[in-house]
Coordinates of all heavy atoms in Angstrom, one line a residue:
T22 N 64.7 18.2 -32.4 CA 64.5 17.8 -31.0 C 65.7 18.4 -30.1 O 65.4 18.8 -29.0 CB 64.4 16.4 -30.8 OG1 65.5 15.7 -31.3 CG2 63.1 15.8 -31.5
K23 N 66.8 18.4 -30.7 CA 67.9 18.8 -29.8 C 67.9 20.3 -29.5 O 68.5 20.8 -28.5 CB 69.4 18.5 -30.5 CG 69.6 19.1 -31.8 CD 71.1 18.8 -32.2 CE 71.5 19.5 -33.4 NZ 70.7 19.0 -34.7
L24 N 67.1 21.0 -30.3 CA 67.0 22.5 -30.1 C 66.1 22.8 -28.9 O 66.0 23.9 -28.5 CB 66.6 23.2 -31.3 CG 67.5 22.9 -32.6 CD1 66.9 23.7 -33.8 CD2 69.0 23.5 -32.4
G25 N 65.2 21.9 -28.6 CA 64.1 22.1 -27.6 C 64.6 21.6 -26.3 O 65.6 21.0 -26.2
K26 N 63.6 21.8 -25.2 CA 63.9 21.4 -23.9 C 62.7 20.9 -23.3 O 61.5 21.3 -23.7 CB 64.3 22.6 -23.0 CG 65.7 22.7 -22.7 CD 66.3 23.7 -21.7 CE 65.5 24.6 -20.8 NZ 66.3 25.7 -20.3
T27 N 62.8 19.7 -22.6 CA 61.5 19.3 -21.9 C 61.0 20.3 -21.0 O 61.7 21.2 -20.4 CB 61.8 17.9 -21.2 OG1 62.9 18.2 -20.3 CG2 62.1 16.8 -22.1
A28 N 59.7 20.3 -20.6 CA 59.1 21.2 -19.6 C 60.0 21.0 -18.2 O 60.2 19.9 -17.9 CB 57.6 20.9 -19.3
Q29 N 60.4 22.1 -17.6 CA 61.3 21.9 -16.6 C 60.6 22.1 -15.2 O 61.3 22.0 -14.2 CB 62.3 23.1 -16.7 CG 63.1 23.1 -18.0 CD 64.1 22.0 -18.1 OE1 65.0 22.0 -17.2 NE2 64.0 21.0 -18.9
Y30 N 59.3 22.4 -15.1 CA 58.7 22.8 -13.8 C 58.4 21.7 -12.9 O 58.1 21.9 -11.7 CB 57.4 23.7 -14.2 CG 56.2 23.0 -14.8 CD1 55.2 22.5 -13.9 CD2 56.2 22.8 -16.1 CE1 54.2 21.8 -14.5 CE2 55.1 22.1 -16.7 CZ 54.1 21.7 -15.9 OH 53.0 21.1 -16.5
I31 N 58.3 20.4 -13.5 CA 58.2 19.3 -12.5 C 59.2 18.2 -12.9 O 59.4 18.0 -14.2 CB 56.7 18.7 -12.4 CG1 56.2 18.5 -13.8 CG2 55.8 19.8 -11.6 CD1 54.8 17.8 -13.8
P32 N 59.6 17.3 -12.0 CA 60.7 16.4 -12.4 C 60.1 15.4 -13.4 O 61.0 14.9 -14.3 CB 61.1 15.7 -11.1 CG 60.1 16.2 -10.1 CD 59.4 17.4 -10.6
Q33 N 58.9 14.9 -13.2 CA 58.3 13.9 -14.2 C 58.4 14.3 -15.6 O 58.6 13.5 -16.6 CB 56.9 13.5 -13.8 CG 56.7 12.9 -12.5 CD 56.7 13.8 -11.4 OE1 56.9 15.1 -11.4 NE2 56.6 13.2 -10.1
L34 N 58.3 15.6 -15.9 CA 58.4 16.1 -17.3 C 59.8 16.4 -17.7 O 60.3 16.2 -18.8 CB 57.5 17.4 -17.5 CG 56.0 17.2 -17.4 CD1 55.3 18.5 -17.6 CD2 55.4 16.2 -18.3
K35 N 60.5 17.0 -16.7 CA 61.9 17.4 -17.0 C 62.8 16.2 -17.3 O 63.6 16.3 -18.2 CB 62.5 18.0 -15.7 CG 63.8 18.6 -15.9 CD 64.2 19.3 -14.5 CE 65.7 19.8 -14.6 NZ 66.0 20.5 -13.5
E36 N 62.5 15.0 -16.8 CA 63.4 13.9 -17.0 C 63.0 13.0 -18.1 O 63.7 12.0 -18.4 CB 63.5 13.0 -15.7 CG 64.4 13.7 -14.6 CD 64.0 13.4 -13.3 OE1 63.3 12.4 -12.9 OE2 64.5 14.2 -12.3
V37 N 62.0 13.3 -18.9 CA 61.6 12.5 -20.1 C 62.6 12.7 -21.1 O 63.3 13.7 -21.3 CB 60.2 13.1 -20.6 CG1 59.9 12.4 -21.9 CG2 59.1 12.8 -19.6
N38 N 63.0 11.5 -21.9 CA 64.0 11.5 -23.0 C 63.5 12.6 -24.1 O 62.4 12.4 -24.7 CB 64.0 10.2 -23.6 CG 64.9 10.1 -24.7 OD1 65.4 11.2 -25.2 ND2 65.0 8.9 -25.3
K39 N 64.3 13.6 -24.2 CA 63.8 14.7 -25.1 C 63.9 14.4 -26.6 O 63.4 15.0 -27.4 CB 64.5 16.1 -24.8 CG 66.0 16.1 -25.4 CD 66.3 17.6 -25.3 CE 67.6 17.9 -25.9 NZ 68.0 19.4 -26.0
Y40 N 64.4 13.2 -26.8 CA 64.6 12.8 -28.3 C 63.5 11.9 -28.8 O 63.4 11.5 -29.9 CB 66.0 12.1 -28.5 CG 67.1 13.1 -28.3 CD1 67.9 13.0 -27.0 CD2 67.4 14.0 -29.2 CE1 68.9 13.9 -26.8 CE2 68.4 15.0 -29.0 CZ 69.2 14.9 -27.8 OH 70.2 15.8 -27.5
Y41 N 62.6 11.6 -27.9 CA 61.3 10.9 -28.4 C 60.7 11.7 -29.4 O 60.6 12.9 -29.3 CB 60.3 10.8 -27.2 CG 60.5 9.7 -26.2 CD1 60.3 9.8 -24.8 CD2 60.8 8.4 -26.7 CE1 60.5 8.8 -24.0 CE2 61.0 7.2 -25.8 CZ 60.8 7.5 -24.5 OH 60.9 6.5 -23.5
L42 N 60.2 11.0 -30.4 CA 59.4 11.7 -31.5 C 58.5 10.7 -32.2 O 59.0 9.7 -32.5 CB 60.3 12.5 -32.4 CG 59.7 13.5 -33.3 CD1 59.1 14.7 -32.5 CD2 60.7 14.1 -34.4
G43 N 57.3 11.1 -32.4 CA 56.4 10.1 -33.0 C 55.2 10.9 -33.7 O 54.9 11.9 -33.2
V44 N 54.7 10.3 -34.7 CA 53.6 10.9 -35.4 C 52.6 9.7 -35.9 O 53.0 8.7 -36.4 CB 54.0 11.8 -36.5 CG1 54.9 11.1 -37.5 CG2 52.8 12.4 -37.3
C45 N 51.3 9.9 -35.6 CA 50.2 9.0 -35.9 C 49.2 9.7 -36.7 O 48.9 10.8 -36.3 CB 49.7 8.3 -34.7 SG 48.4 7.2 -35.1
A46 N 48.8 9.1 -37.9 CA 47.7 9.8 -38.7 C 46.7 8.7 -38.9 O 47.0 7.5 -39.2 CB 48.3 10.3 -40.0
M47 N 45.4 9.2 -38.8 CA 44.3 8.2 -39.0 C 43.3 8.9 -40.0 O 43.0 10.1 -39.8 CB 43.5 8.0 -37.8 CG 44.3 7.2 -36.7 SD 43.3 6.9 -35.2 CE 44.4 6.3 -34.1
D48 N 42.8 8.2 -40.9 CA 41.9 8.8 -41.8 C 40.5 8.2 -41.6 O 40.3 7.3 -40.9 CB 42.3 8.9 -43.3 CG 42.1 7.6 -44.0 OD1 41.6 6.6 -43.4 OD2 42.7 7.5 -45.2
L49 N 39.6 8.8 -42.4 CA 38.1 8.3 -42.1 C 37.8 7.0 -42.7 O 36.7 6.4 -42.4 CB 37.2 9.4 -42.6 CG 37.3 10.8 -41.8 CD1 36.6 11.9 -42.5 CD2 36.6 10.5 -40.5
D50 N 38.8 6.5 -43.5 CA 38.4 5.1 -44.1 C 39.1 4.0 -43.2 O 39.2 2.8 -43.6 CB 39.1 5.0 -45.5 CG 38.4 6.0 -46.5 OD1 37.2 6.2 -46.3 OD2 39.1 6.6 -47.4
G51 N 39.6 4.4 -42.0 CA 40.3 3.5 -41.2 C 41.7 3.2 -41.4 O 42.3 2.4 -40.7
M52 N 42.3 4.1 -42.2 CA 43.8 3.9 -42.4 C 44.6 4.5 -41.1 O 44.2 5.6 -40.8 CB 44.2 4.6 -43.6 CG 45.7 4.6 -43.9 SD 46.4 5.7 -45.2 CE 46.2 7.3 -44.3
V53 N 45.5 3.7 -40.6 CA 46.2 4.3 -39.5 C 47.6 4.1 -39.9 O 48.1 3.1 -40.3 CB 46.1 3.4 -38.2 CG1 46.9 3.9 -37.1 CG2 44.5 3.4 -37.9
L54 N 48.4 5.2 -39.9 CA 49.9 5.2 -40.3 C 50.6 5.8 -39.0 O 50.1 6.7 -38.3 CB 50.1 6.1 -41.4 CG 49.5 5.7 -42.7 CD1 49.8 6.8 -43.7 CD2 50.0 4.4 -43.2
E55 N 51.8 5.2 -38.7 CA 52.5 5.5 -37.6 C 54.0 5.6 -37.8 O 54.5 4.7 -38.6 CB 52.3 4.5 -36.4 CG 50.9 4.5 -35.9 CD 50.7 3.5 -34.7 OE1 51.2 3.6 -33.7 OE2 49.8 2.6 -35.0
A56 N 54.7 6.5 -37.2 CA 56.1 6.6 -37.4 C 56.7 7.0 -36.0 O 56.3 8.0 -35.5 CB 56.6 7.4 -38.6
G57 N 57.8 6.3 -35.5 CA 58.4 6.7 -34.3 C 57.7 6.3 -33.1 O 57.0 5.4 -33.1
D58 N 57.8 7.2 -32.0 CA 57.3 6.9 -30.7 C 55.8 7.1 -30.4 O 55.4 7.9 -29.6 CB 58.2 7.7 -29.7 CG 59.7 7.4 -30.0 OD1 60.0 6.2 -29.9 OD2 60.4 8.3 -30.1
T59 N 55.0 6.4 -31.2 CA 53.6 6.6 -31.2 C 52.9 6.0 -30.1 O 51.7 6.2 -29.8 CB 52.9 6.3 -32.5 OG1 53.2 4.9 -32.7 CG2 53.4 7.1 -33.6
R60 N 53.5 5.1 -29.4 CA 52.9 4.3 -28.3 C 53.5 4.6 -26.9 O 53.4 3.9 -26.0 CB 53.0 2.8 -28.5 CG 52.3 2.5 -29.9 CD 50.9 2.7 -30.0 NE 50.3 2.3 -31.3 CZ 49.2 1.6 -31.5 NH1 48.5 1.2 -30.5 NH2 48.8 1.5 -32.7
V61 N 54.4 5.6 -26.9 CA 55.0 6.1 -25.7 C 54.0 7.0 -24.9 O 53.6 8.0 -25.5 CB 56.4 6.8 -25.9 CG1 56.9 7.3 -24.6 CG2 57.4 5.9 -26.6
P62 N 53.6 6.6 -23.7 CA 52.7 7.5 -23.0 C 53.4 8.8 -22.6 O 54.6 8.9 -22.2 CB 52.3 6.7 -21.7 CG 53.2 5.6 -21.7 CD 54.0 5.4 -22.9
F63 N 52.6 9.9 -22.5 CA 53.0 11.3 -22.1 C 51.7 11.8 -21.5 O 50.6 11.5 -21.9 CB 53.5 12.0 -23.2 CG 52.6 12.3 -24.4 CD1 51.8 13.4 -24.4 CD2 52.5 11.3 -25.4 CE1 50.9 13.6 -25.5 CE2 51.7 11.6 -26.5 CZ 50.8 12.7 -26.5
T64 N 51.9 12.8 -20.7 CA 50.7 13.5 -20.1 C 50.1 14.4 -21.0 O 50.7 15.2 -21.7 CB 51.0 14.2 -18.7 OG1 52.1 15.0 -18.7 CG2 51.0 13.1 -17.6
I65 N 48.8 14.4 -21.1 CA 48.0 15.1 -22.1 C 48.0 16.6 -21.9 O 48.1 17.4 -22.8 CB 46.5 14.7 -21.9 CG1 45.6 15.3 -23.0 CG2 45.9 15.1 -20.6 CD1 44.2 14.6 -23.1
Q66 N 48.3 17.1 -20.6 CA 48.4 18.5 -20.3 C 47.4 19.3 -21.1 O 46.3 19.0 -21.0 CB 49.9 18.9 -20.6 CG 50.9 18.3 -19.8 CD 50.8 18.7 -18.3 OE1 50.1 19.5 -17.9 NE2 51.5 17.9 -17.4
S67 N 47.8 20.3 -21.8 CA 46.7 21.3 -22.3 C 45.9 20.8 -23.4 O 45.0 21.4 -23.7 CB 47.5 22.6 -22.8 OG 47.9 23.4 -21.7
I68 N 46.3 19.6 -23.9 CA 45.3 19.0 -24.9 C 44.1 18.6 -24.2 O 43.0 18.5 -24.9 CB 46.1 17.8 -25.7 CG1 47.3 18.3 -26.4 CG2 45.0 17.2 -26.7 CD1 48.1 17.2 -26.9
S69 N 44.1 18.4 -22.8 CA 42.9 18.1 -22.1 C 41.9 19.3 -22.2 O 40.7 19.1 -21.9 CB 43.3 17.9 -20.6 OG 43.7 19.1 -20.1
K70 N 42.4 20.4 -22.5 CA 41.4 21.6 -22.7 C 40.4 21.4 -23.7 O 39.4 22.1 -23.7 CB 42.3 22.9 -22.8 CG 43.1 23.2 -21.6 CD 44.2 24.3 -21.8 CE 45.1 24.5 -20.6 NZ 46.1 25.5 -20.8
L71 N 40.7 20.6 -24.8 CA 39.7 20.2 -25.7 C 38.5 19.5 -25.2 O 37.4 19.7 -25.3 CB 40.4 19.4 -26.9 CG 41.4 20.0 -27.7 CD1 42.1 19.0 -28.6 CD2 40.8 21.2 -28.6
V72 N 39.0 18.4 -24.3 CA 37.9 17.6 -23.8 C 37.0 18.4 -22.8 O 35.9 18.2 -22.8 CB 38.6 16.4 -23.0 CG1 37.6 15.4 -22.5 CG2 39.7 15.7 -23.9
S73 N 37.6 19.2 -21.9 CA 36.9 19.9 -21.0 C 36.0 20.9 -21.6 O 34.9 21.1 -21.1 CB 37.8 20.6 -19.9 OG 38.8 21.3 -20.5
L74 N 36.5 21.5 -22.7 CA 35.6 22.5 -23.4 C 34.4 21.8 -23.9 O 33.3 22.4 -23.9 CB 36.5 23.1 -24.5 CG 35.8 24.2 -25.3 CD1 35.3 25.4 -24.4 CD2 36.7 24.7 -26.4
I75 N 34.6 20.7 -24.5 CA 33.4 20.0 -25.1 C 32.4 19.6 -23.9 O 31.2 19.9 -24.1 CB 33.8 18.7 -25.8 CG1 34.7 19.0 -27.0 CG2 32.6 17.9 -26.3 CD1 35.4 17.7 -27.5
L76 N 32.9 19.1 -22.8 CA 32.0 18.9 -21.7 C 31.3 20.0 -21.2 O 30.1 20.1 -20.9 CB 32.8 18.2 -20.6 CG 33.2 16.8 -20.7 CD1 34.1 16.3 -19.5 CD2 32.1 15.8 -20.9
A77 N 32.1 21.2 -21.1 CA 31.5 22.4 -20.6 C 30.4 22.9 -21.6 O 29.3 23.4 -21.1 CB 32.5 23.5 -20.3
I78 N 30.6 22.9 -22.8 CA 29.7 23.3 -23.8 C 28.3 22.5 -23.6 O 27.2 23.0 -23.6 CB 30.1 23.2 -25.3 CG1 31.2 24.3 -25.5 CG2 29.0 23.3 -26.3 CD1 32.0 24.1 -26.9
R79 N 28.6 21.2 -23.4 CA 27.4 20.3 -23.2 C 26.6 20.6 -21.9 O 25.5 20.7 -21.9 CB 27.8 18.8 -23.1 CG 28.0 18.2 -24.4 CD 28.4 16.7 -24.0 NE 28.6 15.9 -25.0 CZ 29.0 14.6 -24.8 NH1 29.1 14.0 -23.6 NH2 29.3 13.8 -25.8
D80 N 27.4 20.9 -20.8 CA 26.9 21.2 -19.6 C 26.2 22.6 -19.4 O 25.2 22.7 -18.7 CB 28.0 21.0 -18.5 CG 28.2 19.5 -18.2 OD1 27.5 18.7 -18.8 OD2 29.2 19.3 -17.4
C81 N 26.8 23.5 -19.9 CA 26.5 24.9 -19.7 C 25.8 25.6 -20.8 O 25.3 26.7 -20.8 CB 27.6 25.9 -19.2 SG 28.4 25.3 -17.9
G82 N 26.1 25.1 -22.0 CA 25.7 25.7 -23.3 C 26.7 26.7 -23.8 O 27.3 27.3 -23.0
A83 N 26.9 26.7 -25.2 CA 28.0 27.5 -25.7 C 27.7 29.0 -25.6 O 28.5 29.8 -25.3 CB 28.1 27.2 -27.2
D84 N 26.4 29.4 -25.5 CA 26.0 30.8 -25.4 C 26.5 31.3 -24.1 O 27.2 32.3 -24.0 CB 24.4 31.0 -25.5 CG 24.0 31.0 -26.9 OD1 24.9 31.1 -27.8 OD2 22.8 31.0 -27.2
H85 N 26.1 30.6 -23.0 CA 26.5 31.0 -21.6 C 28.0 31.0 -21.5 O 28.6 32.0 -21.1 CB 25.9 30.0 -20.7 CG 26.4 30.4 -19.2 ND1 25.9 31.5 -18.5 CD2 27.2 29.7 -18.4 CE1 26.6 31.5 -17.4 NE2 27.3 30.4 -17.2
L86 N 28.7 29.9 -22.0 CA 30.1 29.8 -21.8 C 30.9 30.9 -22.6 O 31.8 31.7 -22.0 CB 30.5 28.4 -22.4 CG 32.0 27.9 -22.0 CD1 31.9 27.6 -20.5 CD2 32.3 26.7 -22.7
F87 N 30.5 31.2 -23.8 CA 31.3 32.1 -24.7 C 30.8 33.5 -24.5 O 31.5 34.5 -24.9 CB 31.2 31.8 -26.2 CG 32.1 30.5 -26.4 CD1 31.5 29.3 -27.0 CD2 33.4 30.3 -26.1 CE1 32.2 28.2 -27.2 CE2 34.1 29.2 -26.3 CZ 33.6 28.1 -26.9
H88 N 29.7 33.8 -23.9 CA 29.2 35.2 -23.6 C 29.6 35.6 -22.2 O 29.9 36.7 -22.0 CB 27.8 35.3 -23.9 CG 27.5 35.3 -25.4 ND1 26.6 34.4 -25.9 CD2 28.1 36.0 -26.4 CE1 26.5 34.6 -27.3 NE2 27.5 35.5 -27.6
E89 N 29.5 34.6 -21.2 CA 29.7 35.0 -19.9 C 31.0 34.8 -19.3 O 31.5 35.4 -18.4 CB 28.6 34.4 -19.0 CG 27.2 34.5 -19.5 CD 26.7 35.9 -19.3 OE1 27.2 36.7 -18.3 OE2 25.8 36.3 -20.1
K90 N 31.6 33.6 -19.8 CA 32.8 33.1 -19.0 C 34.1 33.3 -19.8 O 35.1 33.7 -19.1 CB 32.5 31.6 -18.8 CG 31.4 31.3 -17.9 CD 31.7 31.8 -16.6 CE 30.4 31.5 -15.6 NZ 30.7 32.1 -14.3
V91 N 34.2 32.9 -21.0 CA 35.5 33.1 -21.8 C 35.3 33.7 -23.1 O 34.2 33.5 -23.7 CB 36.2 31.7 -21.9 CG1 36.8 31.2 -20.6 CG2 35.4 30.7 -22.6

Side-chain angles (χ1 to χ4, degrees):
T22 54
K23 65 172 180 294
L24 304 176
K26 255 184 19 191
T27 55
Q29 302 285 299
Y30 68 99
I31 52 174
Q33 292 83 1
L34 294 183
K35 188 175 172 178
E36 282 152 22
V37 172
N38 174 1
K39 78 170 191 171
Y40 297 103
Y41 276 139
L42 196 62
V44 53
C45 176
M47 296 183 186
D48 77 6
L49 290 166
D50 299 322
M52 179 191 73
V53 180
L54 298 174
E55 297 179 62
D58 305 308
T59 55
R60 305 293 176 135
V61 173
F63 59 92
T64 45
I65 189 168
Q66 296 293 347
S67 285
I68 302 171
S69 65
K70 295 170 184 177
L71 294 172
V72 183
S73 54
L74 180 59
I75 299 166
L76 284 175
I78 288 173
R79 280 188 180 177
D80 286 355
C81 307
D84 279 352
H85 177 70
L86 201 67
F87 291 122
H88 289 125
E89 308 291 329
K90 296 295 177 185
V91 290

